[in-house]
Amino acid sequence: MDKTFPMKYQGMSLHNMYGTAEYQAIIDSQRYVLSEKFFRGETHYRLPDGFLLEIRTYAEMENKGNYDVRKAFLQKCTLWHDGCIFYEYLSSNAHIAPFKEWIRHQNGHRYYPFHVDLYGISYLDLETRQAYNYIPEGWQHHAAYVLGESFLITDIHYNPAENLIAYGGCFWAGPGNVMVGDFSEPLHFSPKWIGMQELIDPDYDTYDELDFQEWSAAHLILKCGSLQTAYPIKELRKQLP
């Protein structure tokens, strides 16, 4: 290993960094912006069943000549219901829009998906108010950093008949892909997902990127522009870890 670029590991790590001392130290170092001095604006989103999501953004910017650099950034996110605070969380994600629909699970519970970081995904059980946060350690990176790059989830598609979930998104600045995993236990889901690009067209000969289209009774339907491809769910299950 090159000593000028020390790494803690090689390849992809699925280890959950949420709640670790290293990750918490990063969030704690930015908490000072949670004051009116650094307040940058407020946005509201109407959610199902009378819920409201309030996002208050706080940031400190530093001028570097021709451009501004963000020194610290946090969003205080509050779920409101019937005029009362239902749940609150902090997010350091500034790129992916919040999700506006519940996942209505086979177990009868509603789940709210959200981001506390650019990477990973979190779920709140609206019936119990329990949450599970997952942020992967990601691809190998400089040992001085806490996170490496991992899949950016932009859209979520649950199949209640099969308890499978499809995540649309990409690796940073990469072509679109769809990752699929088991979603039998939303608050303890397996982070081992299958990349559909690697299954269908690993050499990118036909599909240079993939987007989710729909779950049918027997297939996962994907698209690339005007092209469409169907992958059998029965075969997909064989590929799941």
Side-chain angles (χ1 to χ4, degrees):
M1 184 181 294
D2 186 350
K3 293 183 179 179
T4 63
F5 188 70
M7 296 180 289
K8 291 189 293 183
Y9 58 90
Q10 292 183 308
M12 178 72 176
S13 170
L14 299 178
H15 174 64
N16 190 0
M17 295 301 293
Y18 184 84
T20 63
E22 303 99 311
Y23 184 77
Q24 193 60 47
I26 292 177
I27 300 302
D28 289 343
S29 71
Q30 301 186 70
R31 286 182 182 273
Y32 72 90
V33 298
L34 295 174
S35 71
E36 292 306 308
K37 176 182 177 181
F38 301 110
F39 179 64
R40 297 286 173 168
E42 182 175 302
T43 309
H44 296 88
Y45 299 90
R46 294 287 177 184
L47 303 181
D49 304 329
F51 281 81
L52 176 75
L53 174 63
E54 173 190 273
I55 299 180
R56 293 175 60 86
T57 300
Y58 301 84
E60 181 181 17
M61 309 300 292
E62 181 179 33
N63 185 264
K64 293 289 187 179
N66 295 327
Y67 56 92
D68 290 333
V69 175
R70 195 172 65 198
K71 291 183 63 178
F73 174 93
L74 283 175
Q75 290 184 321
K76 184 178 180 181
C77 306
T78 305
L79 271 180
W80 292 86
H81 190 250
D82 290 337
C84 299
I85 294 176
F86 186 86
Y87 187 78
E88 291 183 300
Y89 61 95
L90 292 178
S91 177
S92 60
N93 163 55
H95 296 279
I96 301 174
F99 300 106
K100 304 179 187 67
E101 297 292 336
W102 309 145
I103 292 176
R104 298 181 185 275
H105 198 270
Q106 189 186 86
N107 65 14
H109 289 213
R110 299 164 299 167
Y111 293 89
Y112 165 59
F114 60 98
H115 282 288
V116 295
D117 193 273
L118 179 62
Y119 301 119
I121 189 67
S122 299
Y123 290 102
L124 171 68
D125 185 327
L126 295 174
E127 319 309 330
T128 66
R129 303 197 194 195
Q130 291 180 299
Y132 178 69
N133 301 279
Y134 174 69
I135 306 170
E137 193 169 20
W139 286 106
Q140 59 193 32
H141 53 87
H142 197 290
Y145 303 145
V146 172
L147 298 177
E149 184 176 315
S150 57
F151 192 71
L152 307 180
I153 297 172
T154 59
D155 47 279
I156 300 175
H157 311 277
Y158 172 59
N159 182 334
E162 299 287 343
N163 263 338
L164 296 176
I165 198 157
Y167 296 110
C170 65
F171 285 91
W172 190 253
N177 198 355
V178 176
M179 308 293 280
V180 177
D182 181 83
F183 203 60
S184 300
E185 300 183 58
L187 298 189
H188 302 282
F189 63 83
S190 170
K192 296 179 181 179
W193 304 329
I194 299 171
M196 296 307 299
Q197 180 75 57
E198 290 69 31
L199 285 183
I200 292 173
D201 189 11
D203 296 322
Y204 294 83
D205 291 331
T206 304
Y207 304 97
D208 55 0
E209 64 177 35
L210 288 173
D211 293 306
F212 176 89
Q213 181 161 318
E214 65 174 326
W215 289 105
S216 72
H219 294 83
L220 169 59
I221 313 297
L222 304 166
K223 61 181 178 178
C224 177
S226 61
L227 299 175
Q228 189 181 87
T229 184
Y231 198 88
I233 293 174
K234 189 175 294 186
E235 292 300 314
L236 186 57
R237 283 205 170 276
K238 295 178 182 178
Q239 302 293 333
L240 285 172

